[in-house]
Amino acid sequence: MSNEITQVKGCEFTTDELQRFHHYYKYDWAAAGLVSAPVSKRIQHFVETVDPGIDSNRLQEWLHTMGIVDESEKSEQARLYERFEHFDFAAAVGFNQMLADVYATDDVSKHGVGERMDQAKAQYYSDNVEPLVYSEYKEYKEVNAPKPVCPYQDLWDPKGADKESADTNKFANVRTIDIAKLLDPDNVDVLTIGAINLFIDAAKTAYDQKYFAVAVVNSRCNGPEPMFLPALSSTGDCPATLKAAMRLQIELRNLNKTKPLVFFANGVVDTSTLGILMSTVDIVTSEMFCVSIGSVSQSSQKFPLSALYDWAHLSNHQAKVSKGTAEYIMCSPDLVLRSAEWSTLGLGIGFVSHRKFASGMEQILLAASCPPPHTRDALRKACAVESVYSGPSKINVWEQEISKYFAPLADGKTVLELADELRAVKAPWAEKYVVFANAKESNNVAKARVAGMQRVRGLEYSQALALELSAAIAWAAGTTEETKLFSRNIPSLSDLLSENTHATPEPQRNGALQSEVAGECPFAKMYRKNPERFKHVNLGSIADHHSLDL
């Protein structure tokens, strides 16, 4: 068998040569002080100090094939195109005005969007920096594209390998909220009331008209199990922490009504903070994303009732979700939701691999810089372009069991009745659930979650939030009986939140005034003075309402 590997006609290198060339390519030039040195000097250093047996002429031929040449050997045309490719369009004034055309069609293929983006960049660069003809640039790139001369090139020189972190500061029209900068430096593993209030303050600044979108990131998402959104602090004043978290959730949902709010969840999300994450469906995940729903964690035991309204209304999302899916998720003893399951439930808009997450984030944020009213559409199309398949969902394979055993929980069947029914199934998964349902602590969690979802399905949103908050406060105080947690007497959400000593007055939206308005409709007056009471009513229609002519 020949020891030559031929990938391109006229360019043949032996296995031994390729091994030596790879060694050259991966050599630590920084340690040698030759990062900025020309190729010829690097080759001379490598031959003299590292591998005297290497053929320098063959190495140079291989480097030419890879498109690696000395600056002095480059043509003026090549230098022009390099300047164009290194130009920072994210910080270029006015370039974002051209993005609407890039995402104006239904073609969200990577090739189609990429070509339209390149054309827009070339037009901007030629109009504002120096002349450049896109057709000539494209032809040059096709002719001079590096040729793959090694079948394993993608392993040692992976195209698109990610940078360590995204540069979010250059997107002036996107308000970036970095969770890592909000956390207490001495207590980064939990979301304290101080961190939550900082989060709320940051969200309020995002209403500024100069921001077209809001991105929530966590720059500390690194390591084998990165934490994106940590647990609510279970020490100190739990009711105050729960109220602050609810205020944050409301603030984020209000913000999302005015402009796109996207979470780049490249890590673990704790069950207790799911309500914050689920303030939007514009969530981009990676393989590092996961949520442990089962009642095995400390936060699940302390704060198990987060986002009940969202779980109870899963069918409201675009994904096809079978009845009983929410009950199955909330009652499973060891279920971990990852990106595949999250996408199946219709709770996210994209999956980007962890290796390319930072570069993918920058491409999506560039689209989010597109001016209104095209911002949300451009952002979602950019997500579609950058996204890849997240893998098979663990929920889909249980659809038959969900419909048969868990769907009745939505209609009034109790957790213990389900356990009795599953006891007769005599399957490992059923036996695991029976043990889970019969254990006192996990049984209390499952019963509270099922009862809570049943209850909130008949309520409008602000009532559901009030019930969820009051139940969470009662649970943290030691109450576990579902009839007491979800009583018929629902307190006012505004009254609950006003008890928070750190509460910040809600900003006035849509021009609502506190002064008396002559001839104002009495219902408009009540709305104006207590908007929380009428969350389900359209404020715009009331603002146009005139006094009754009786």
Side-chain angles (χ1 to χ4, degrees):
M1 181 181 292
S2 172
N3 65 345
E4 291 187 349
I5 301 175
T6 304
Q7 288 295 107
V8 180
K9 185 178 180 181
C11 185
E12 299 178 349
F13 300 99
T14 67
T15 303
D16 178 66
E17 283 179 321
L18 285 174
Q19 289 175 341
R20 289 180 166 184
F21 297 164
H22 295 177
H23 186 197
Y24 169 90
Y25 190 88
K26 288 297 185 181
Y27 186 69
D28 188 356
W29 299 109
L34 297 172
V35 172
S36 302
V39 175
S40 56
K41 190 169 183 179
R42 286 188 178 190
I43 292 176
Q44 180 183 357
H45 170 84
F46 194 81
V47 172
E48 292 177 354
T49 64
V50 182
D51 187 357
I54 197 170
D55 187 332
S56 59
N57 291 325
R58 292 280 283 171
L59 172 59
Q60 193 160 25
E61 180 186 346
W62 179 77
L63 290 172
H64 270 269
T65 309
M66 295 291 295
I68 302 172
V69 296
D70 268 333
E71 190 68 27
S72 59
E73 298 180 44
K74 294 178 183 177
S75 65
E76 181 54 41
Q77 187 182 34
R79 292 192 181 96
L80 166 64
Y81 295 150
E82 277 192 4
R83 291 194 297 272
F84 166 64
E85 290 172 350
H86 288 94
F87 185 76
D88 189 358
F89 287 93
V93 177
F95 175 70
N96 62 329
Q97 302 291 331
M98 306 176 71
L99 293 175
D101 293 334
V102 174
Y103 296 100
T105 71
D106 293 331
D107 177 13
V108 291
S109 66
K110 200 170 187 68
H111 172 75
V113 172
E115 179 138 349
R116 293 195 298 275
M117 182 68 78
D118 287 344
Q119 288 175 337
K121 288 180 176 179
Q123 180 182 337
Y124 180 93
Y125 191 84
S126 182
D127 292 345
N128 296 277
V129 184
E130 57 182 322
L132 182 144
V133 179
Y134 176 71
S135 59
E136 295 178 359
Y137 165 74
K138 187 176 179 181
E139 182 181 356
Y140 174 87
K141 295 299 289 185
E142 290 174 353
V143 172
N144 295 278
K147 300 176 178 60
V149 296
C150 173
Y152 307 106
Q153 181 176 331
D154 62 317
L155 299 179
W156 57 266
D157 182 28
K159 296 299 179 184
D162 205 5
K163 53 182 75 175
E164 290 186 4
S165 60
D167 182 5
T168 58
N169 295 324
K170 62 184 179 181
F171 301 98
N173 296 115
V174 179
R175 175 65 169 100
T176 301
I177 301 175
D178 188 350
I179 296 173
K181 296 179 180 178
L182 307 177
L183 300 176
D184 183 344
D186 298 324
N187 205 2
V188 296
D189 295 327
V190 295
L191 202 61
T192 63
I193 189 170
I196 295 172
N197 285 319
L198 288 175
F199 205 150
I200 293 172
D201 292 341
K204 288 179 178 178
T205 65
Y207 285 97
D208 193 310
Q209 290 186 351
K210 70 180 179 182
Y211 298 124
F212 303 154
V214 186
V216 179
V217 304
N218 190 329
S219 58
R220 287 183 183 164
C221 272
N222 46 41
E225 292 186 359
M227 176 60 71
F228 175 74
L229 197 53
L232 292 179
S233 175
S234 57
T235 60
D237 190 347
C238 286
T241 302
L242 288 166
K243 291 174 185 178
M246 182 62 73
R247 289 177 59 80
L248 172 59
Q249 183 177 331
I250 294 170
E251 190 67 53
L252 292 176
R253 289 176 188 260
N254 286 337
L255 180 60
N256 195 33
K257 293 176 184 177
T258 67
K259 59 190 66 181
L261 169 66
V262 57
F263 277 77
F264 290 93
N266 187 24
V268 179
V269 175
D270 189 83
T271 309
S272 63
T273 49
L274 267 178
I276 299 171
L277 178 71
M278 295 171 77
S279 300
T280 178
V281 295
D282 291 328
I283 302 170
V284 182
T285 64
S286 75
E287 61 269 34
M288 297 299 174
F289 170 82
C290 72
V291 183
S292 298
I293 299 294
S295 62
V296 293
S297 67
Q298 182 180 356
S299 64
S300 293
Q301 290 288 353
K302 189 70 176 179
F303 306 117
L305 306 177
S306 179
L308 286 180
Y309 183 89
D310 297 288
W311 289 119
H313 294 83
L314 269 182
S315 58
N316 289 359
H317 298 287
Q318 294 180 352
K320 183 180 178 182
V321 179
S322 301
K323 182 180 179 180
T325 301
E327 283 73 14
Y328 167 73
I329 292 171
M330 300 299 276
C331 295
S332 295
D334 54 3
L335 178 64
V336 177
L337 296 179
R338 299 191 182 276
S339 293
E341 291 75 43
W342 202 253
S343 299
T344 297
L345 297 172
L347 299 175
I349 58 168
F351 172 83
V352 180
S353 70
H354 181 68
R355 186 170 66 90
K356 296 184 178 181
F357 203 79
S359 57
M361 184 190 302
E362 289 191 359
Q363 291 300 314
I364 295 168
L365 290 179
L366 179 60
S369 302
C370 179
H374 310 288
T375 313
R376 197 181 299 270
D377 183 58
L379 184 152
R380 290 180 175 176
K381 286 180 178 177
C383 284
V385 170
E386 297 301 320
S387 293
V388 295
Y389 177 55
S390 58
S393 168
K394 292 181 293 186
I395 292 177
N396 289 344
V397 299
W398 295 102
E399 279 191 1
Q400 184 175 346
E401 289 79 3
I402 289 172
S403 298
K404 183 176 181 179
Y405 298 109
F406 290 88
L409 288 175
D411 298 324
K413 177 188 284 188
T414 68
V415 171
L416 290 179
E417 287 173 341
L418 174 61
D420 291 338
E421 187 176 359
L422 291 179
R423 191 174 286 108
V425 175
K426 297 189 182 303
W429 72 269
E431 292 173 3
K432 186 186 296 185
Y433 179 83
V434 171
V435 173
F436 168 78
N438 286 331
K440 182 179 179 181
E441 289 184 347
S442 55
N443 176 265
N444 287 336
V445 170
K447 288 194 297 184
R449 286 174 169 174
V450 170
M453 287 190 291
Q454 290 175 351
R455 185 80 168 87
V456 301
R457 283 191 176 103
L459 302 176
E460 58 90 17
Y461 184 62
S462 63
Q463 288 180 312
L465 290 188
L467 186 64
E468 179 183 317
L469 178 56
S470 63
I473 292 172
W475 180 280
T479 301
T480 58
E481 188 178 339
E482 63 269 27
T483 55
K484 294 181 179 179
L485 290 170
F486 303 104
S487 65
R488 292 292 167 183
N489 297 320
I490 305 174
S492 163
L493 181 60
S494 57
D495 289 344
L496 278 172
L497 295 177
S498 65
E499 296 171 10
N500 185 356
T501 55
H502 195 280
T504 306
E506 287 292 321
Q508 293 299 317
R509 312 286 178 217
N510 302 312
L513 304 174
Q514 292 300 318
S515 60
E516 294 300 320
V517 179
E520 183 181 25
C521 168
F523 296 103
K525 180 177 180 180
M526 286 189 290
Y527 193 116
R528 179 168 53 80
K529 292 193 172 184
N530 187 6
E532 287 289 342
R533 183 180 173 189
F534 301 94
K535 274 288 186 179
H536 58 292
V537 182
N538 186 296
L539 180 59
S541 63
I542 290 183
D544 297 331
H545 197 116
H546 300 290
S547 60
L548 298 175
D549 186 12
L550 299 176

